[in-house]
């Protein structure tokens, strides 16, 4: 049955999907590969904010106690903070500030998270923590201007409901941290935006208790944040992990959670940011490298903006060291890009989204249709992922749309770009190459070539202002079709049959 | 029948195909689009020399007579010469110097060629011509060094056997010009390389008479040059031309001509340079934009090096104004690239050649096979063009090869890149777009995307050190297959069935 | 006597000086050197518009008559127009559109101007002229959008009051041209901005008659334009010109002319653009290369914005061919930059202006003082040029200012940048090098190094919120002093005497 | 007294000064600032090799033990090694490989050096160390080719004679490490170059014992390495250090040490590399930022090549974290460049050296004179540093030379570039700015502008093929004078008095 896409838009396409993207720890942003990747992503996708851990961890060098004339003092030092934030702004992206983790010399304990050892304990001096927050936020305001920094969300800590990220997952201690931090931020300027609690999925009533706490003590909250992932427990192999996966609809349910939980509380109606999401929460699960991941997430990108103000893909690059330095080019990292800028299928899902128009024409379980100001209609379509019957997943999923175009008749030009198990799939190519852990330059070039979407064009006849678009999708295909009515400039003397190679050229 | 490619090379692949490339008139090299195109071409193809007309024409401003204190003097001025040659060397390409045409103020008549009015008459003062040649060559030697300039061929004039290029096609006058010029060049330095006569096809006995002349008067000649084209007379439409075409084998026959004609003369054994060749000699014949042109020329590139020292594609870019400023992006120009760097199918034929190895393994009527130092085997294959039965040209030309690879067993990784009527064919896409004369930026982006070859990869099983390569070619397809034996680094714990999206992932 | 600069601004500094800059003919913008120069200028100066001749001349290829099926037709072709305007917008500059000169095939006569032969006769078909204007303006609107193009002034022809630029300097014919053109532009869109008459200096009553004409016939005029130069008749030497020069105040008088002349007419109060100005109107007068030129024009840049909406330096680059291809790197060209981006002193005058603040604090016969939003005070000072007593021109002109800074006490950091006969003067360096016509690469590097301003820094003590600035200026010096109150971050343990090299380091 | 520089060269200037340069730990090379700095340095100086610590430390992730099916295995992983070495080669520099420190999981103890905790203990498994060395060297050979890697010196460990760098400074343990390592390297390929022992100054008889050891056991040694510094013990202030300093001649004595010590041993005559040198060995001594440092080291660069095969400045960039993340832009770091590419005076000493010619004409206590193939004479001169009487250090040290030039008469063009306490001294400017720890963008621009050498030009009269060069040097000045005989191209009609601004222009 052919789906008729309405001519009149039903609204605007939310850009919650591109509001924010995740990154590895703060000082990785000093790296060239990281910045090259981010530059590419900003050129072809264009995120607005970037969020990651470790701003206050030792590798950034902000908190610097010293002794002078017998007394203890603290320098707050922004050598790397400035280099990173300057680079972000040069690349057209702004920080979504996450305050954490604890500097080792300010920490009350020595529990750490990750290979890079972020300290996850509360401060041993709360006033010094407040000084650190105040100095950091004030410095940003001084350097970048109040107008600019008022636009940067400031989030307090990360996933305090997990013992790995906050010692004991102690909610009372988090409330204390949040309260002090939020007040300190607001002391710098009352219009700065502060929020939390950046919960990992499965937090139960945490958020409600947080709402009660801040309401009871009149603590400032400008936005609420939570994370969303759909994989189960990790089964490890060396340098890798396997997991089971819930349907993608569960991501949308998780997005909807904070709004539902906060209904009736003092925090109802606040902006909700999903400050991390992905299929798997592991940086070593091969799923991230697959076309499956793109097809799985396509409906989430298409619909997530109805539920939240943002949902931030975790993360843009494999330059990420939470479980150590990667031992192979493809290692199941979160990145849209591998090291050295090989594009994964999910990268293209985002790049396709970036070519959608502003006006929403239609949305279904396997498609999203938009139009832009020039009249170009963009169709994003995907082969829905059935997690229960994969072996039967058809390589020939079909989809038929009737698309309104801006001209009553003539032809439309359709450009189709696809990624799938076969096409635009560098991971599959790398597998066929023998999974070289450290590809040489020619192999990298080959991977980059094979990472590009397959592109075709087609002339579609327009009838009554519409074209029929019939798509057959390969296994795990995500495809973008861009349709434009043709303004034919062919001159009257054009005679294709006289062009050499046309098949008729040697007739006299 | 499967063709068995020998394991041992039969020789080295000549690089006569990349020795030189043609260009529009000299001062067009000042343009940014020109230099951007040349930079791209040098990165992906890598020619050694570049040759074009107009070095001494008025637009370059070399010959500058003036009066001072009542006497006439001549400045020789190299403002643009230096800018262009500096740019060439920066781009890794050297000039194949063509001395011509005549400065208007030095000319004996006012006949001109081309929209840009190159004067084609002999000098009104032969000593001033010699001064001009001497000053120009000396300046190049001064600026770039004798060692460098000794490597630059210096060709005297262009196609003097045509009335359009040399007033009256007067051979005696050309001989006088050649003699004076050659001696003048050698006066600057005896090891500079001078040659000619740069004949247009159909020159009859010109070359033999030239050989007789130089032998009889002991005139220096270091190389012989001629041109080759296979189209017939032009049938004009506005801003365009149609022509009939001879088989590509006629190009190879033309290449062989000078050697055959000079046998037994004093010039026998000299290097022969085909300083221009193409299918059509018209800069407004759409054939240059087609995949047909690539398939037509593929056997010429594969075999031409057996016959001559170089054959220079006329020209690398559509930035070319012999019939005026182009009125549409695709206009049948000679270029491998259009303005703004849209790649034509013939561009890819050259880029594919640039990825061939140094060792020649096999060559047939539809294929060329090489190996490089790393063991990579490269197969260039093409659908042969049958000029008499085009309508019957099969979309499914097949080819079967047995290819030796460097490993006795296992698998080989094959990367296939193709252009054809359908794939990697920006001209076809532009036609489907309605042939926009001045595409907007989005259209240019689309054209560039669709101009890339279709790329696929495949794993081929190795048996007895060989893989079977079965190719089916589309209409006018030229394809490159690069084959490498896989060094498998897959770790022992890799279990594809556990990877999400594999089809088995949800089984416990 | 020390001049006390007021603390409170007297207004904002007009940016009429950077509103527009001149350029050589349209298709020169295709050149790489041109675009490299413009990129540099946009980075360090930042003009808003660019204006030059020749948009409709043959080299751009817009007007393209042809025959088809026995009838005459005209294509309007924008191949190069689009390349140039795309490049302009990429470089952050917009076209100030000048409609002219006449395509040869549309011209009523064969009179031309310049080496590059711009046809200066009226159209032989007025309807075809209107078609050409309509097609050109419509194309710009289609490609760049109406909002964008409404911001581009459109000027009709150039200097019609000179016989060199408009056959017979026939004012009635110009009125006819203007009327038809203005109406045609407004037919495309009524809010497009059209104006003229782009008069050369010394036009007498032309402008008043033009005002009368347009008023009497209700012809649209959105702005008025005129040119300003202060040199007298040319005395030629080979490839060069000498002229006498009026004081710079005469430029300001010329700027004031149109407003004064139009007082009481229907055009009173319209924006006035000086669409060309310079000292000499000759592209081969060495004055353009000198520090004298910068010092001469400094008061004009400082004050011109009081009189007109813009005054456009003629021109930004020596890539300019009105008298042919330059025969030497320095040849008296109009450019702020030579070929290959050697900066002339006048370049720095503009670059200094670009570092002035928005708030005007003071202006005198030898200085201009501004402040920006960060509190930085910028002082532009120059050694006034006395045209009558040059030999006596002191190398030691002095100037004493009292400058308000944002701090009551402490010190201020002053950065001083200077060009003069000695410093930042590539022309002087080139003269000392022996005036090489075509400098080699090392010479070009040396010239670029010596073209940079001399820069010094100084710590000035603040007393009562002010610093004393005492300047001694070299011959023809233009200097920029940027003053900022120091926020001292020196730590308490800093002891300069312990730093090696301080002079005390080896004392124990 | 005027020193007469001989016309005939006395030999070639050694390029030992540019053979190698030092760097912070290996993975810092992943950073963009690091690579930007290295790119600038390669463009303006051009080192051949680069050497630093930490290739095998945990941050690079080479040594990766894991368990599989109950057994322990080790992966050797080159993800970052390849990224760094690829980048080096792209930047035109090769690794001087230093093997160290110990991976934590392979270490026999937990002693570490530096903020970044390089483990300095011997391996707990010697066979695994050999595996690690073999895998690393083999990987380099596989990736970069044997011909290439044979040119890379491989040094075993760093400063084993210091307890901070090698547990217990245990020489026997080092000998064991060296022996196993050297044999392992040679097993990969016998022509690879291996050496050591990379001694810190003050090693006493270490080197002789090392020579005895390798001779007695026939251990391969291809070169000998040692370090050189001239400061005494550190006196700490917060984030900084002060030290006393020996005269620069002591550096040359240290260079001469290994050759002297090895005379008569089996290692006599081997290449000697000073793989680190500087004034101070502390990365937080402000001396590195000063002009004093440049003047102090100038005679060392001029003469060091007589004594050793290389001497490697420690280090090229302040991107260096041995004592933690820097807390201020200028912090006494080793770098020739600060973070963000502000050039220090010592950078210019190197950049001046890079402009010296190949032929050595003269060398004195305050000057070095060379000529290059084009005839350009380059004079490097410096104000000698008197460590005992600094307060008396004259700001006006004078020097008089008679310089042979390539022309008997006429004039010579002299370009002089200087750094001193006043000129080309970003550190002095930063001090005057109030020592901002994290300068904003405008401040960085100002620092970069003030970091450029002061440049002047001069015309010197030639008499008898010589010019007199009289130099007056500022405090701690290092100056480069480049002298070229002028080929005068001034045309006969040039009349300077007619050029406007010449002082005569208004006379008729």
């Amino acid at each position: 049955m052919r789906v008729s896409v309405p001519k009149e838009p039903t609204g605007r396409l939310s850009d919650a999907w591109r509001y924010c993207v995740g990154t590895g720890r703060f000082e990785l942003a000093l790296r060239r590969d990281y910045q090259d990747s981010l530059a590419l992503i900003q050129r072809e996708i264009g995120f607005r904010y970037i969020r990651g851990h470790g701003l206050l961890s030792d590798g950034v060098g902000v908190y610097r106690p010293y002794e002078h004339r017998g007394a203890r003092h603290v320098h707050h030092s922004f050598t790397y903070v400035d280099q990173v934030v300057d680079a972000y702004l040069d690349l057209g992206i702004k920080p979504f500030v996450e305050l954490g983790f604890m500097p080792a010399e300010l920490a009350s304990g020595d529990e750490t998270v990750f290979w890079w050892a972020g300290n996850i304990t509360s401060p041993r001096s709360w006033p010094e923590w407040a000084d650190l927050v105040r100095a950091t936020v004030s410095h940003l305001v001084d350097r970048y201007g109040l107008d600019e920094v008022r636009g940067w969300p400031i989030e307090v800590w990360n996933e305090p409901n997990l013992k790995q990220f906050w010692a004991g997952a102690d909610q009372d201690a988090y409330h204390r941290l949040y309260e002090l931090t939020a007040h300190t931020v607001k002391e710098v300027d009352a219009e700065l935006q502060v929020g939390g609690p950046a919960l990992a999925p499965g937090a139960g009533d945490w958020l409600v208790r947080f709402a009660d706490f801040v309401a009871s003590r009149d603590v400032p909250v400008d936005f609420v944040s939570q994370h969303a992932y759909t994989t189960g427990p990790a089964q490890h192999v060396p340098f890798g992990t396997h997991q089971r996966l819930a349907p993608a609809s569960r991501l949308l349910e998780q997005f909807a959670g904070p709004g539902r939980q906060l209904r009736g509380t003092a925090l109802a109606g606040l902006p909700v940011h999903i400050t991390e999401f992905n299929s798997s929460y592991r940086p070593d699960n091969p799923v991230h490298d697959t076309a499956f991941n793109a097809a799985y997430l396509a409906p989430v990108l298409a619909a997530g903006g109805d539920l939240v103000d943002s949902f931030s893909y975790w993360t843009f690059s494999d330059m990420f060291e939470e479980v150590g330095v990667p031992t192979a080019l493809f290692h199941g990292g979160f990145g849209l890009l591998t090291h050295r800028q090989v594009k994964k299928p999910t990268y293209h899902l985002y790049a396709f989204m970036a070519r959608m128009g502003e006006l929403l024409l239609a949305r279904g379980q396997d498609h999203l249709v938009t139009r832009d100001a020039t009249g170009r209609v963009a169709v994003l379509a995907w082969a829905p992922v059935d997690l229960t019957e994969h072996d039967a997943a058809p390589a020939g999923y079909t989809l038929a749309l009737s698309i309104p175009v801006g001209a009553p008749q003539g032809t439309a030009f359709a450009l189709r770009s696809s990624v799938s198990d076969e096409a635009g799939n560098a991971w599959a190519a790398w597998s066929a190459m023998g999974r070289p852990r450290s590809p040489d330059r020619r192999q990298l070039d080959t991977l980059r070539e094979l990472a590009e979407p397959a592109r075709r064009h087609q002339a579609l006849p327009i009838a009554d202002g519409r074209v029929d678009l019939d798509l057959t999708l390969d296994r795990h295909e995500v495809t973008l079709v861009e349709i434009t009515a043709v303004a034919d400039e062919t001159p009257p003397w054009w005679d294709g049959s006289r062009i050499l190679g046309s098949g008729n050229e040697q007739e006299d």
Side-chain angles (χ1 to χ4, degrees), chain A:
Chain A
M1 199 197 66
R2 185 172 304 283
V3 175
S4 181
V5 171
K7 190 171 174 181
E8 293 308 314
T10 65
R12 298 182 72 80
L13 181 66
S14 159
D15 67 352
W17 66 271
R18 79 181 343 159
Y19 185 87
C20 191
V21 74
T23 167
R25 77 174 186 283
F26 194 83
E27 76 264 32
L28 293 180
L30 297 171
R31 294 193 178 167
R32 180 179 158 195
D33 185 87
Y34 179 109
Q35 291 191 27
D36 287 350
S37 290
L38 190 53
L40 174 58
I41 276 177
Q42 288 304 91
R43 201 159 57 238
E44 298 193 352
I45 301 174
F47 291 102
R48 292 174 56 199
Y49 292 93
I50 187 165
R51 172 194 171 275
H53 311 320
L55 169 65
L56 302 178
S57 292
D58 296 347
V60 185
V62 175
Y63 178 83
R64 310 300 289 277
Y66 63 94
E67 283 216 354
H68 184 55
R69 298 182 187 275
R72 190 174 178 282
H73 304 265
V74 179
H75 244 18
H76 298 104
S77 182
F78 300 101
T79 300
Y80 287 170
V81 172
D82 291 352
Q83 286 187 30
V84 169
V85 178
D86 285 5
Y88 282 160
L89 298 180
D90 285 348
L91 290 165
I93 201 163
K94 300 167 186 285
F96 192 117
V97 180
E98 179 195 313
L99 294 172
F101 298 118
M102 197 58 60
E105 293 175 285
L106 180 56
S108 60
D110 56 9
E111 291 171 71
T112 65
V113 65
F114 303 141
W115 174 76
W116 53 269
N119 186 293
I120 57 154
T121 68
S122 58
R124 61 178 173 72
S125 159
W126 293 91
E128 282 203 14
W129 170 261
D131 289 347
L132 172 61
V133 169
R134 185 181 304 106
T136 301
V137 175
S138 296
H139 175 79
L140 295 175
V141 166
D142 288 348
R143 187 173 183 92
Y144 301 106
L146 194 48
D147 283 354
E148 175 66 33
V149 181
R150 279 176 177 165
W152 301 355
I154 301 173
E155 193 182 36
V156 180
W157 214 256
N158 180 66
E159 301 194 350
N161 60 318
L162 297 187
K163 288 180 180 172
Q164 296 94 314
F165 283 100
W166 181 238
D170 178 341
Q171 188 163 7
D172 289 342
Y174 178 75
H175 286 173
R176 183 174 179 188
L177 182 82
Y178 182 85
E179 182 174 21
L180 177 59
T181 305
H183 281 307
T184 304
V185 168
K186 293 293 192 180
E187 281 165 24
V188 176
D189 179 75
E191 292 186 40
L192 292 169
Q193 305 297 305
V194 69
L199 296 176
D205 293 333
W206 246 85
L207 190 57
V208 175
R209 290 195 299 271
F210 176 73
D212 289 349
F213 171 75
V214 296
S216 69
R217 294 180 55 96
D218 207 17
V219 181
V221 185
D222 296 301
F223 64 88
V224 167
S225 61
Q226 188 152 329
H227 299 169
Y229 293 100
T230 36
T231 41
Q235 299 160 338
H236 294 293
V237 294
F239 310 108
T241 296
H242 297 294
Q243 293 164 288
R244 297 195 56 185
L245 184 66
S249 57
R250 289 285 296 279
L251 278 172
L252 295 173
E253 289 164 23
Q254 292 182 50
F255 289 7
R260 197 185 59 243
Q261 287 186 287
L262 295 176
R263 218 167 288 144
T265 74
L267 302 187
L270 279 189
V272 174
H273 294 294
I274 303 299
T275 49
E276 294 180 18
F277 89 100
N278 207 321
S279 50
S280 162
Y281 58 82
R282 287 287 313 177
D284 54 3
N285 185 329
V287 70
H288 298 123
D289 302 331
T290 66
F292 167 84
N293 204 59
Y296 175 84
L297 292 179
V300 178
L301 266 71
D306 292 358
L307 303 169
V308 287
D309 294 86
S310 77
F311 47 107
S312 177
Y313 189 75
W314 188 254
T315 60
F316 83 94
S317 164
D318 277 354
M319 187 55 74
F320 189 88
E321 295 178 340
E322 289 185 359
V323 296
V325 179
T327 59
L329 182 70
F330 282 100
H331 55 268
F334 290 121
L336 296 171
L337 293 169
T338 70
H339 290 193
R340 298 179 160 225
Q341 295 79 57
V342 177
K343 298 172 182 175
K344 299 184 189 176
T346 306
Y347 175 95
H348 293 298
L349 169 63
Y350 272 90
F352 292 169
M353 283 295 291
R355 288 163 79 152
M356 301 302 287
E358 306 79 36
L359 301 173
L360 180 62
L361 298 185
R363 187 161 51 187
Q365 58 137 13
D366 52 12
H367 66 276
L368 173 71
V369 187
T370 63
R371 189 164 59 217
D372 72 10
T374 71
R376 182 182 53 98
V377 174
V379 177
L380 183 77
W382 55 90
V385 168
D386 179 346
L387 289 170
T388 59
E389 299 185 72
H390 262 217
D391 281 338
Y397 182 86
T398 61
L399 177 63
L401 299 170
S402 164
I403 306 281
V405 292
Q409 55 197 23
T411 62
F413 178 81
L415 166 62
R416 180 170 171 190
S417 309
S418 293
V419 295
S420 70
D421 274 13
E422 302 300 324
N425 192 328
W427 182 73
W430 175 78
S431 294
M433 275 179 183
R435 302 186 176 90
R437 293 200 281 137
S438 201
D440 63 29
R441 285 175 190 249
R442 184 181 287 274
Q443 288 174 320
L444 283 167
D445 285 342
T446 297
L447 289 172
R448 288 194 199 102
E449 287 178 348
L450 288 168
E452 287 303 310
R455 301 196 198 270
R456 282 154 285 183
H457 65 88
Q458 205 179 345
L460 300 173
I462 304 175
D464 293 331
R466 288 185 166 269
V467 296
D468 283 351
L469 182 67
D470 292 283
L471 298 172
T472 301
L473 305 183
D474 277 348
R475 196 167 141 78
H476 299 147
E477 179 167 346
V478 177
T479 195
L480 173 74
V481 187
E482 296 168 272
I483 301 168
T484 317
V486 164
D488 197 348
E489 298 186 29
T490 305
W493 57 81
W494 187 276
D495 178 354
S497 73
R498 298 179 71 191
I499 293 173
L500 289 164
S502 69
N504 301 297
E505 70 272 11
Q506 298 295 321
E507 303 166 14
D508 284 70

